[in-house]
Coordinates of all heavy atoms in Angstrom, one line a residue:
Q1197 N 9.0 -1.8 17.6 CA 10.1 -0.9 17.3 C 11.4 -1.7 17.1 O 11.7 -2.5 18.0 CB 10.3 0.0 18.6 CG 11.0 1.3 18.4 CD 9.9 2.4 18.2 OE1 9.0 2.5 19.0 NE2 10.2 3.3 17.3
I1198 N 12.0 -1.6 16.0 CA 13.2 -2.3 15.7 C 14.4 -1.4 15.8 O 14.5 -0.4 15.1 CB 13.1 -3.0 14.3 CG1 12.0 -4.0 14.3 CG2 14.4 -3.6 13.9 CD1 11.0 -3.9 13.2
G1199 N 15.3 -1.8 16.7 CA 16.4 -0.9 17.0 C 17.7 -1.5 16.4 O 18.1 -2.6 16.6
H1200 N 18.4 -0.6 15.8 CA 19.8 -0.8 15.3 C 20.1 -2.1 14.8 O 20.9 -2.8 15.4 CB 20.7 -0.4 16.4 CG 22.2 -0.3 16.0 ND1 22.6 0.4 14.9 CD2 23.3 -1.0 16.4 CE1 23.9 0.2 14.7 NE2 24.3 -0.6 15.6
P1201 N 19.6 -2.5 13.6 CA 20.0 -3.8 13.0 C 21.5 -3.6 12.6 O 21.8 -2.6 12.0 CB 19.1 -4.0 11.8 CG 17.9 -3.1 12.0 CD 18.5 -1.9 12.8
W1202 N 22.3 -4.6 12.9 CA 23.7 -4.5 12.5 C 24.3 -5.9 12.3 O 23.7 -6.9 12.6 CB 24.6 -3.7 13.6 CG 24.7 -4.4 14.9 CD1 23.8 -4.5 15.9 CD2 25.8 -5.2 15.4 NE1 24.3 -5.2 17.0 CE2 25.5 -5.6 16.7 CE3 27.1 -5.4 14.9 CZ2 26.4 -6.4 17.5 CZ3 28.0 -6.2 15.6 CH2 27.7 -6.6 16.9
S1203 N 25.4 -5.9 11.7 CA 26.1 -7.1 11.4 C 27.6 -6.9 11.5 O 28.1 -5.8 11.7 CB 25.7 -7.6 9.9 OG 26.2 -8.8 9.7
R1204 N 28.3 -8.0 11.4 CA 29.8 -8.0 11.5 C 30.3 -8.2 10.1 O 29.8 -9.0 9.4 CB 30.3 -9.1 12.4 CG 30.4 -8.8 13.8 CD 31.2 -9.9 14.5 NE 31.0 -9.9 15.9 CZ 30.7 -11.0 16.7 NH1 30.6 -12.1 16.1 NH2 30.7 -10.8 17.9
A1205 N 31.4 -7.4 9.8 CA 32.1 -7.7 8.6 C 32.6 -9.1 8.6 O 32.9 -9.7 9.6 CB 33.3 -6.7 8.5
T1206 N 32.6 -9.7 7.4 CA 33.0 -11.1 7.2 C 34.3 -11.2 6.4 O 34.5 -10.4 5.5 CB 31.9 -11.9 6.5 OG1 31.6 -11.4 5.3 CG2 30.7 -12.0 7.4
P1207 N 35.2 -12.2 6.8 CA 36.4 -12.3 6.0 C 36.0 -12.9 4.6 O 35.0 -13.5 4.4 CB 37.2 -13.4 6.8 CG 36.2 -14.0 7.7 CD 35.0 -13.1 7.9
A1208 N 36.9 -12.6 3.6 CA 36.6 -13.1 2.2 C 36.4 -14.6 2.3 O 37.1 -15.3 3.0 CB 37.8 -12.7 1.4
G1209 N 35.4 -15.0 1.5 CA 35.2 -16.5 1.4 C 34.3 -17.0 2.5 O 33.9 -18.2 2.5
A1210 N 33.9 -16.2 3.5 CA 33.1 -16.7 4.6 C 31.7 -17.0 4.0 O 31.2 -16.3 3.1 CB 33.0 -15.7 5.7
K1211 N 31.1 -18.1 4.5 CA 29.8 -18.5 4.0 C 28.7 -18.0 4.9 O 27.5 -18.1 4.5 CB 29.8 -20.1 4.0 CG 30.5 -20.6 2.8 CD 29.7 -20.5 1.5 CE 30.5 -20.5 0.3 NZ 30.0 -19.7 -0.8
V1212 N 29.0 -17.7 6.1 CA 27.9 -17.2 7.0 C 28.2 -15.9 7.7 O 29.4 -15.5 7.8 CB 27.6 -18.3 8.1 CG1 27.1 -19.6 7.5 CG2 28.8 -18.5 9.0
G1213 N 27.2 -15.2 8.1 CA 27.3 -14.0 8.8 C 26.2 -13.9 9.9 O 25.3 -14.7 9.8
G1214 N 26.3 -13.0 10.8 CA 25.3 -12.9 11.8 C 24.7 -11.5 11.8 O 25.3 -10.5 11.4
G1215 N 23.4 -11.5 12.1 CA 22.6 -10.2 12.2 C 22.1 -10.0 13.6 O 21.7 -11.0 14.2
Y1216 N 22.1 -8.8 14.0 CA 21.7 -8.5 15.4 C 20.8 -7.2 15.4 O 21.0 -6.3 14.6 CB 22.9 -8.2 16.3 CG 24.0 -9.3 16.1 CD1 25.1 -9.0 15.3 CD2 23.8 -10.5 16.7 CE1 26.1 -10.0 15.1 CE2 24.8 -11.5 16.5 CZ 25.9 -11.3 15.7 OH 26.9 -12.2 15.6
L1217 N 19.9 -7.2 16.3 CA 19.0 -6.0 16.4 C 18.2 -6.2 17.7 O 18.3 -7.2 18.4 CB 18.0 -6.0 15.2 CG 17.4 -7.3 14.7 CD1 16.2 -7.7 15.6 CD2 16.9 -7.1 13.3
S1218 N 17.4 -5.2 18.0 CA 16.4 -5.4 19.1 C 15.0 -5.1 18.6 O 14.8 -4.4 17.6 CB 16.7 -4.4 20.2 OG 16.5 -3.0 19.8
I1219 N 14.1 -5.8 19.2 CA 12.7 -5.7 18.9 C 11.9 -5.4 20.1 O 11.9 -6.2 21.1 CB 12.1 -6.9 18.2 CG1 12.9 -7.3 17.0 CG2 10.6 -6.7 17.8 CD1 12.6 -8.7 16.4
E1220 N 11.2 -4.3 20.1 CA 10.4 -3.9 21.3 C 8.9 -3.9 20.9 O 8.6 -3.3 19.9 CB 10.9 -2.6 21.9 CG 10.2 -2.2 23.2 CD 10.7 -1.0 23.8 OE1 11.6 -0.3 23.2 OE2 10.3 -0.7 24.9
N1221 N 8.1 -4.5 21.7 CA 6.7 -4.6 21.5 C 6.0 -3.6 22.3 O 5.9 -3.7 23.5 CB 6.2 -6.0 21.7 CG 4.7 -6.1 21.3 OD1 4.0 -5.2 21.1 ND2 4.3 -7.4 21.3
K1222 N 5.6 -2.5 21.7 CA 4.9 -1.4 22.5 C 3.4 -1.5 22.4 O 2.7 -0.7 22.9 CB 5.3 -0.1 21.9 CG 6.8 0.2 22.0 CD 7.2 1.6 21.7 CE 8.6 1.9 22.1 NZ 8.8 3.0 23.0
G1223 N 2.9 -2.6 21.9 CA 1.5 -2.9 21.8 C 0.9 -3.6 22.9 O 1.6 -3.8 24.0
T1224 N -0.3 -4.2 22.7 CA -1.0 -4.9 23.8 C -1.1 -6.4 23.5 O -1.6 -7.1 24.3 CB -2.4 -4.3 24.1 OG1 -3.1 -4.2 22.8 CG2 -2.2 -2.9 24.7
A1225 N -0.7 -6.8 22.3 CA -0.8 -8.2 21.9 C 0.5 -8.7 21.6 O 1.4 -8.0 21.1 CB -1.8 -8.3 20.8
P1226 N 0.8 -10.0 21.9 CA 2.1 -10.6 21.5 C 2.2 -10.7 20.0 O 1.2 -10.8 19.3 CB 2.0 -12.0 22.1 CG 0.6 -12.3 22.3 CD -0.1 -11.0 22.5
D1227 N 3.4 -10.6 19.5 CA 3.6 -10.8 18.1 C 4.9 -11.8 18.0 O 5.5 -12.1 19.0 CB 3.9 -9.5 17.4 CG 3.6 -9.6 15.9 OD1 3.6 -10.7 15.3 OD2 3.3 -8.5 15.2
R1228 N 5.2 -12.1 16.8 CA 6.3 -13.1 16.6 C 7.1 -12.8 15.4 O 6.5 -12.6 14.3 CB 5.6 -14.5 16.5 CG 6.5 -15.7 16.4 CD 5.7 -17.0 16.4 NE 5.3 -17.3 17.8 CZ 6.0 -18.0 18.6 NH1 7.2 -18.4 18.3 NH2 5.6 -18.3 19.9
L1229 N 8.4 -12.8 15.5 CA 9.2 -12.7 14.3 C 9.3 -14.1 13.7 O 9.8 -15.0 14.4 CB 10.6 -12.2 14.7 CG 11.7 -12.2 13.6 CD1 11.3 -11.1 12.5 CD2 13.1 -11.9 14.1
V1230 N 8.8 -14.2 12.5 CA 8.7 -15.6 12.0 C 9.7 -15.8 10.8 O 10.1 -17.0 10.6 CB 7.3 -15.9 11.4 CG1 6.4 -16.2 12.6 CG2 6.7 -14.9 10.5
A1231 N 10.2 -14.8 10.2 CA 11.1 -15.0 9.1 C 11.9 -13.7 8.8 O 11.5 -12.6 9.1 CB 10.3 -15.4 7.8
V1232 N 13.1 -14.0 8.3 CA 14.0 -12.9 7.8 C 14.5 -13.3 6.5 O 14.8 -14.4 6.2 CB 15.2 -12.7 8.8 CG1 16.1 -11.6 8.4 CG2 14.7 -12.5 10.2
S1233 N 14.5 -12.3 5.6 CA 15.2 -12.6 4.3 C 16.1 -11.5 3.9 O 15.8 -10.3 4.2 CB 14.1 -12.9 3.2 OG 13.4 -11.7 2.9
V1234 N 17.1 -11.8 3.2 CA 18.1 -10.8 2.8 C 18.6 -11.1 1.4 O 18.7 -12.3 1.0 CB 19.3 -10.7 3.7 CG1 18.9 -10.2 5.1 CG2 20.0 -12.0 3.8
P1235 N 18.8 -10.1 0.6 CA 19.2 -10.4 -0.8 C 20.6 -10.9 -0.9 O 21.0 -11.5 -1.9 CB 19.0 -9.0 -1.5 CG 19.0 -8.0 -0.5 CD 18.5 -8.7 0.8
F1236 N 21.4 -10.6 0.1 CA 22.9 -11.0 0.0 C 23.2 -12.4 0.5 O 24.4 -12.7 0.6 CB 23.7 -9.9 0.8 CG 23.3 -9.7 2.2 CD1 23.9 -10.5 3.2 CD2 22.4 -8.8 2.6 CE1 23.5 -10.3 4.5 CE2 22.0 -8.6 3.9 CZ 22.6 -9.4 4.9
A1237 N 22.2 -13.1 0.9 CA 22.5 -14.5 1.3 C 21.4 -15.4 0.8 O 20.2 -15.0 0.6 CB 22.6 -14.6 2.9
A1238 N 21.7 -16.7 0.6 CA 20.7 -17.6 0.1 C 19.5 -17.7 1.1 O 18.4 -17.7 0.6 CB 21.3 -19.0 -0.1
R1239 N 19.7 -17.7 2.4 CA 18.6 -17.6 3.3 C 19.1 -17.1 4.7 O 20.3 -17.0 4.9 CB 18.0 -19.0 3.5 CG 19.0 -20.1 4.0 CD 18.3 -21.4 4.0 NE 19.1 -22.4 4.8 CZ 20.2 -22.9 4.4 NH1 20.7 -22.6 3.3 NH2 20.9 -23.7 5.3
A1240 N 18.2 -16.7 5.5 CA 18.5 -16.2 6.8 C 17.6 -17.0 7.8 O 16.5 -17.2 7.6 CB 18.2 -14.7 6.9

Side-chain angles (χ1 to χ4, degrees):
Q1197 203 98 44
I1198 293 128
H1200 189 52
W1202 68 281
S1203 186
R1204 272 190 194 134
T1206 56
K1211 281 283 157 212
V1212 295
Y1216 314 99
L1217 45 77
S1218 65
I1219 305 168
E1220 186 172 6
N1221 187 348
K1222 297 191 170 233
T1224 51
D1227 205 337
R1228 183 174 281 274
L1229 175 68
V1230 288
V1232 180
S1233 68
V1234 294
F1236 57 87
R1239 60 186 196 284

